[in-house]
Amino acid sequence: MIDFFKKPLFSDFRFIFAVYFVLTLFASVRIVFWEGSNNYSIFYYSLEHLINNQSLYAEYPQQYSDHYHYAPTFAALFSPIFALPYSVGLFLWHFLFTGVWVYAIYKLPLTHQQKVFAYWFGVQELFTSLVNSQTNPMIAALSVFAFLSFEKKQPFWAAFFIMLGFNVKIYSLVAAGLFILYPQKLKFLASMVLWTIVLAVLPLLFATPAELYHQYELWVTQLMIKSDGDIWANTSIHRLIHLSISPTVPTAAIIGVGVVIFCTTYLRTSRYREYTYRILMLASVLIFQVIFNPVAESPTYITAITGVVCWWVVSPRTTLDRVLLISCFVLTVLSPTDIFPPYLRKTFVLPYALKALPCVLIWFRIVWLMLLPAPPTVTDQSVHLQPGHGGTLGTSTAVN
C-alpha cells in the first residue's frame, strides 16, 4: 500500500487535488439534483428563523426533519452562503469544506510523501462526510489551524479557530488543550475571552439582544436533550462500553475518565519541545473529539481520521502500529462503503460499533507513546519545524 503512494502520478498534488475536486463535484451534483440534503436544510433555514425571531431549535417538519443543534452564531457565520439561493448554496457547501480540509493537510508540517499518504488515506472518509453535507471536515481543519497558530506563536489566532469550531460543534473546544504546551498562556486565555464575546454577539446583526438571549437559552436546553439521548444511537467509546461492560455506565463518568487519561500526558513537561510530542497531542485532540462524543456518528470520523494520520507519520511503525492502521482503514474507513461486505457490516460492524474501535485503540496507543520518557537521541534544536522522514519517536524541534 505504501508503494502505491510513491508512484509519480499518485504522489502528484495536481492529480490528488483533481481527484478531490471530481469527488466533490460528484457529491454536490448528486445531492443538488437528485437526493437533496436534510442536513443542509437544517443549516439553511437557521438564518431565516434567526431573522424572523423564530426558535432555532423547534421542529419544522415542512422544511426538514430532526432539530438544529448548533449555536446561534452558526447561522450568522454562514449567512453569506445561506443568503444564496438554496441550490447554489448547497452546491458550494461541499466545495467549501473539502477545500478547507485539503488546505489544512497541506499546511501541516509534514513531508511531501506524508501529505500524499494523508490525502489518500482520508479521501474516502471525507467523501462519507460530504455525502451527508456535514461540517465535520471544517471541524478537523480548525483544530489543525489552531495547532499551526500555536506553532507560529500566534495564540490570538489559535483562540479564534478554537472558538470558531466551538460555535459549530462544541466538542471542538477540546483543541484548547493544546495551549498547555506553548508559551504566552495568558495571552491565549485573554484571546479566548475576547473571541467568545465577539462570536457570541455576532448574531446581533440579525436579532435583538433579548431575542438572542432567548435563542441561547433554547440552545442550552437542546444540547441537554441531545446529549441525554438513546445510548445506542452513537458510534463511539460510549457505545462500546455500554455493549461490553454495562448500559448503565453514565456518560459523564466515561467522559470524565477520558479527560483524566488525556490530561496525564501533560505530566511529560520535558517533552513539550519535541515535534513528535506536539503532533501526537494534536492527534489525541482530534481523535478524542470524536470517540468521547456521546452522539458521534459515522460522518464525524473525518476528524478522527485526521488524527490517525497525524499519529501515523510520527509513530514507531511497529507491528502493533501497522495492525492498528490497517484495522482503522478496514473498519473505520471502508466499513460504510460498498466495498465492504454488507453481511459483515450489518451483522458485526453496525451492531457492535466496530467503526469506533480502531480509533479508540489508536488513541490509547497515542497516550502511551506520549507518556514514554524522551528517547535518548532527542536533542533540542532550533530548526524549522519539520518531521522526521522515518516517523520515529526520536525527532525533536523547538517551537518557532
Side-chain angles (χ1 to χ4, degrees), residues 37-220:
S37 173
N38 185 70
N39 283 327
Y40 184 76
S41 295
I42 294 173
F43 306 148
Y44 176 82
Y45 288 106
S46 64
L47 181 62
E48 177 183 313
H49 297 156
L50 182 65
I51 293 173
N52 294 333
N53 191 27
Q54 297 173 280
S55 170
L56 289 168
Y57 308 96
E59 293 184 349
Y60 296 95
Q62 293 184 335
Q63 296 174 338
Y64 51 78
S65 60
D66 204 352
H67 291 81
Y68 177 86
H69 300 295
Y70 303 82
T73 301
F74 179 91
L77 281 172
F78 292 98
S79 56
I81 293 180
F82 301 154
L84 295 171
Y86 182 92
S87 296
V88 175
L90 177 57
F91 183 81
L92 295 176
W93 186 256
H94 306 92
F95 284 95
L96 169 64
F97 291 107
T98 297
V100 169
W101 187 84
V102 168
Y103 181 71
I105 296 298
Y106 184 79
K107 295 299 292 182
L108 275 171
L110 308 178
T111 65
H112 176 89
Q113 210 58 37
Q114 289 169 341
K115 292 177 184 178
V116 168
F117 170 79
Y119 285 131
W120 287 117
F121 193 83
V123 63
Q124 176 57 51
E125 200 61 44
L126 179 72
F127 188 71
T128 298
S129 187
L130 284 183
V131 295
N132 288 275
S133 302
Q134 290 279 11
T135 58
N136 299 297
M138 187 183 74
I139 295 301
L142 289 175
S143 292
V144 173
F145 293 149
F147 168 78
L148 294 173
S149 297
F150 279 125
E151 290 287 323
K152 296 176 183 177
K153 295 185 178 179
Q154 298 174 343
F156 178 80
W157 290 111
F160 167 74
F161 289 122
I162 291 168
M163 291 313 303
L164 185 63
F166 172 82
N167 280 280
V168 178
K169 292 196 173 182
I170 62 171
Y171 55 76
S172 61
L173 188 63
V174 176
L178 291 165
F179 94 99
I180 299 294
L181 278 58
Y182 298 90
Q184 299 179 298
K185 293 178 177 58
L186 290 179
K187 184 176 181 180
F188 169 76
L189 294 174
S191 299
M192 285 285 283
V193 173
L194 174 63
W195 284 116
T196 298
I197 296 172
V198 169
L199 292 173
V201 302
L202 184 64
L204 289 177
L205 294 171
F206 306 100
T208 66
E211 292 170 352
L212 182 58
Y213 180 79
H214 181 57
Q215 295 286 10
Y216 276 114
E217 287 184 320
L218 295 172
W219 180 44
V220 172

